[in-house]
Amino acid sequence: GSPDVVTVGGATGSEALTQELYALAADVFQELAVGTGGDLTKMTESLARARTDPSGFAAALSSQTQERLRELSIKISDQRR
């Protein structure tokens, strides 16, 4: 593959963290779908904004999901040290 491609497993550093990331991503997409009423155009626009304003995107998530995101980012950061 391309040297620019980073696999999720390579990014997290462990299978357990990869599975946790997938579970969190599923919950984020569920929140996104509910928040946009399932409108694919709005979902796509929201994801596009997330690329340029990730903190703004995260701020729109539930407090529980934000906390899970924070915890997972710390675990991944610790794993990569």
Side-chain angles (χ1 to χ4, degrees):
S2 168
D4 298 331
V5 175
V6 176
T7 64
V8 173
T12 63
S14 84
E15 181 62 26
L17 289 177
T18 298
Q19 292 307 314
E20 194 173 337
L21 178 63
Y22 288 151
L24 178 59
D27 290 346
V28 167
F29 275 106
Q30 181 179 5
E31 285 189 31
L32 183 61
V34 170
T36 60
D39 183 317
L40 289 178
T41 300
K42 288 180 182 175
M43 290 175 69
T44 302
E45 290 169 351
S46 184
L47 289 172
R49 279 193 307 274
R51 296 178 133 220
T52 58
D53 183 16
S55 58
F57 179 80
L61 300 172
S62 70
S63 58
Q64 179 182 0
T65 300
Q66 288 179 34
E67 182 59 29
R68 287 176 59 208
L69 181 60
R70 272 190 292 277
E71 290 172 0
L72 182 58
S73 67
I74 290 167
K75 289 179 188 177
I76 290 170
S77 177
D78 289 349
Q79 178 79 24
R80 297 177 83 185
R81 287 183 190 167

